[in-house]
Amino acid sequence: MTDPTPIDPPVYGTVPRAAQRMLTSGRLARRFALVSLMLGVLIAILIGASLYVVSSRHLARQHHANVEANASLAARQTEGLLNTLVTTVRELANNSVLATALVDSAGKETYLIPFLGSFNHIASVPVALVFTDFEGEPIADNGRHAAPLAIAPADMAWLRATVATGKPAARVVQQGDTQFLLAAEMLAYSRTQSPEGALLYKVPLDSLVLHPEAELLFAGEPPAPVPPDMMTVTVPLTVPERLANLGLTLRLEAPETPTSTLLSWMLPAYGMVGLAALLAIYVGSRAVGNHMTRSLRELERLAGAIATDGFTGQRAKVRGNDEVSALARGFNAMLDHIAGIQREREMRAAEEITIQRTLAERAEQARAEAEGARNEAERSRQEAVMALMVAERANAAKTHFLAAASHDLRQPVQSLVLLTSALAIRLGDHPAAALVGSIEASMDALCRLLDAILDISKLDAGTVSPNVQAVSLGTIFARLEGEYSLRAAEKGVAFRSVPTGVTLNADPALLERIIRNLVENALRYTDHGRILLGCRHARGVLRIQVYDTGIGIPPEHLERIFHEFYQVSNPTRDRGKGLGLGLAIVDRLARLLGYRVHVASRPNRGSCFTLEIPTPALAAIEAPSTAMPAEQAPEPGRGTALVIDDDPLVREGLTLLIEDFGWRATPADSAGHALRLLRDQERPPDLVIADYRLEAGATGLEAIHAVEVALRGRGLAVPTSVVLTGDTAPERIADAEASGYRILHKPIAAKEVAQLLSDALLERSGREAGGRHDQAVLPG
C-alpha cells in the first residue's frame, strides 16, 4: 500500500546522504526509526540525570542525619556517665563510713582504705578519690597514685580553696596532653550545715566520651579548626547542677560527603539504569510500531466484518493526516453512501419501534410507581405496627418489673412490720420501746412508698370503682389545711385554703386523694413563699386549684410530669422528694372520675395545678357535716388462726403478732402442710390467712379452697378466709379481686391484723347464730 508517485525528499542541510536515504525510504519506517531513537535518548538522559541528582542528595542528607544522630547518641551516653559519676560520689559523701572516719581517732586505715579502693572505677570510668578533713588535709584515698590520675599539689590547693567556700565545685584541668574533670563534694554537719570534710575526685575527660571521633569541650576552650572536607556537630550536654558552670559540649567530626559510599552505590545503580533504558527502548519501539499500524489492522478487520456480516453502520476510525487516514476517510465515504441507501428503508420501521418503546416505557414507569407507592404504604404500616408492638412490650415490661420488684420488696417489709409490731407489744413500757417506735415510723414511710406503687397497679388493673356521694369540698379543704399547715410552717412556707361551701357528687376518698397529692407535690418543691388551695366556678366546670411559689417546671417537662417515676428536680433520687408517683396517681384518678387536670408553671416563679370537674357533679344540697368518730382500737378477742405462707420470716412474724393478741396461731408453709395440721385439730380455725404466691407455682386461693373442701368433708364450718398479696401486677390484682375472698395487700400493720381478728370473731358469731356473713373484698 505504498504510493507509486515519487515524492521529492526534503532538504536536510548538512545531513549525510546515507542518513537522508534511511529517513526517506518509507514514511512509516522513517517515523518509526526517528521516534524510537528520540525515545531511547530521552529516557537515558532523564533517568540518568534524575537518578544521579536524587541519589546524591539523598545520600548527603542521610549522611548528615547519621552524623547528627551519632553525635546525639554519644552526648546522651556522656550525660549518663556524668550523672552516674556525680550521683555515686554524692551518695558516697553521704555514706556513714566516711562520717565515722571523721570522728574516729584510730584504726581508720583498716576499713577506710579498702572501702575507698572499691571505687577505682565508677561506671567503667577510672576515678581518683581523696578523702580530707575540714581543712583539706588528706585522710585516705582509693590508691590511685600513678600517673596520669595521680592527685597533684595544685589539685589539693584548689580543694582547700573550695572547702573554704563550703560548697561543691568542679573544674577542668590540663596536665600534659590530657584534660581532667576535677570536682569536690562536701561532707556537711547536719545541724550547722558546715563542711566537716571533703571528697575530691578526678576523672580523665576522654574516658567520658564513648565515640572514637568525638571530643568533650568545656566553656572557655577554643574549638580546633575544622578541615575543609570535614563537618562538625556540637551537642550541649545536660549535666547535674554541680557541673553546670563548666558548659560542657560534645563535638563530633565526620567527612562532609560519603565519597566511598556514593561511588559503591552509584556504579551498580547506573548499570541498572542502562539495562532499564535498553528495555524501555525495546518496549517503546514495539509500542510505537503497533500504534502506527493499528489503523491498517482496524481497516482490515472492518472490511472482513462487512464482507461476512454485512453493513450495520460501522465506521473506520480516522487518526492523523497520513496515507492511512486518507484511506480511512475514503472508506467511510463509501460506508456513508451505503448507509444512506439503508436509512430511508429503515426509517418507518424505526419510527414505529420508537412509538412502541415509548408506550412500553410509560406503562412500565406507571407500574413501577404504583408498586413503589404500594411498597411504601406497606412499609409505613409495618413500621406503625412495630412501633405499637414495641410500645406495648415496653409498657408490659415496665408493669411486670414493678410487680416483681413490689412483691420482692413487700415480703421482707411485711416480715419487718409484723416482727416490729410483735416486739412493740412484748416490750410494753420497756426503755427500748422508743427505738421500736422509730423503726415503726421508718416502716410506715416505706409502706407509703409501696402503697403508691400499689395504687398505680390497682388503677391499671381497673379494680377501683368510685363510690359517688355528696361531698363537702370545704370540709376537705379544712382537713388538709389543719394537716399541712404545721409541716409548711416548719419549712418556712405559708399554707392557706380559701373557705368554700361547695358540695358536689364525687367519691370523697378519691377526690381527697387527688387534692392531697397536689398539695404534697406543692409542699415538696416549695422552699419559701406560700401555697394556696381554693376553688372557683367557670363556665360549665368547677376548678380546684393548688398554687405555689416553688421552683417551677420548665416548659419541656410539662408533658411528662404525670408519667410514673418522672421527677424534674430530683437527679439524686432523694427519698424526701418522693418516688415520682404522686402526679401519675392524680392523672389516673382524674381520668377514672371523668375529670381533667392540667398545670401552668414558670421556672423559679411557681406552678398552678388545676383540677377541672364538670358542673353537673355539683350536689343540689350540701351534705351535713358530721364529725368522724375517733378511731378505736379493735378488740381481737380469742380464737384460732391458720397462717399459710412460704416465707419463713413473714410466717413467723404474723404468727407471733396473732399470738400476742391472745389468739392461737398454726403456721404452715404450703397447702399440704396446712391439711396435715388440720387433721390433728378437732376445732376448725376461725381464720385462714394465706399468701397469694406460694412455692412451686401454687397460690393462696388454691390453698384456701383445699382447706374449705377438707373442712366441709368433715362436716365443719368454713372459716373466714383472707388472701395476703404483695403482687402489684394488674392481672394478679384482677384475679385476686375476682376470687371473692377478702384481699389485703402487704405490708399490713398490727392494727389491720387486730381488725382482721375482730372481724373473724364477728363472722364466727354470725355463723353460730345460723347466718353466714358474705365475704367482702377490702381495698388494699
Side-chain angles (χ1 to χ4, degrees), residues 21 43 51 63 102 106 245 252 355 402 442 500 632 661 686 736:
R21 189 182 303 112
I43 291 176
L51 182 62
H63 175 68
L102 289 175
N245 64 318
L252 179 64
I355 293 172
L402 288 179
S442 299
T500 178
Q632 298 294 330
F661 282 126
D686 301 305

Side-chain angles (χ1 to χ4, degrees), residues 283-360:
V283 174
S285 300
R286 290 291 302 271
V288 170
N290 291 333
H291 175 74
M292 295 180 67
T293 59
R294 180 176 56 178
S295 297
L296 293 176
R297 292 196 300 272
E298 289 177 352
L299 284 175
E300 181 183 3
R301 287 194 296 269
L302 180 59
I306 293 175
T308 303
D309 303 328
F311 176 67
T312 57
Q314 300 95 330
R315 298 282 294 175
K317 295 182 179 179
V318 179
R319 297 182 178 89
N321 195 23
D322 53 10
E323 292 84 348
V324 178
S325 300
L327 178 61
R329 282 192 291 270
F331 201 85
N332 286 338
M334 181 186 65
L335 294 178
D336 291 338
H337 182 68
I338 297 173
I341 296 174
Q342 293 181 348
R343 189 178 302 113
E344 187 175 351
R345 184 178 59 186
E346 296 174 353
M347 187 176 297
R348 293 182 181 179
E351 291 177 354
E352 185 175 354
I353 292 173
T354 301
I355 293 172
Q356 293 178 357
R357 185 178 301 163
T358 301
L359 294 176

Side-chain angles (χ1 to χ4, degrees), residues 481-514:
E481 181 177 3
E483 182 177 343
Y484 287 98
S485 58
L486 183 59
R487 287 178 52 188
E490 291 176 353
K491 293 186 64 176
V493 177
F495 176 74
R496 186 175 68 88
S497 65
V498 179
T500 178
V502 174
T503 300
L504 68 159
N505 292 321
D507 186 307
L510 299 183
L511 178 60
E512 182 173 346
R513 182 65 180 276
I514 292 175

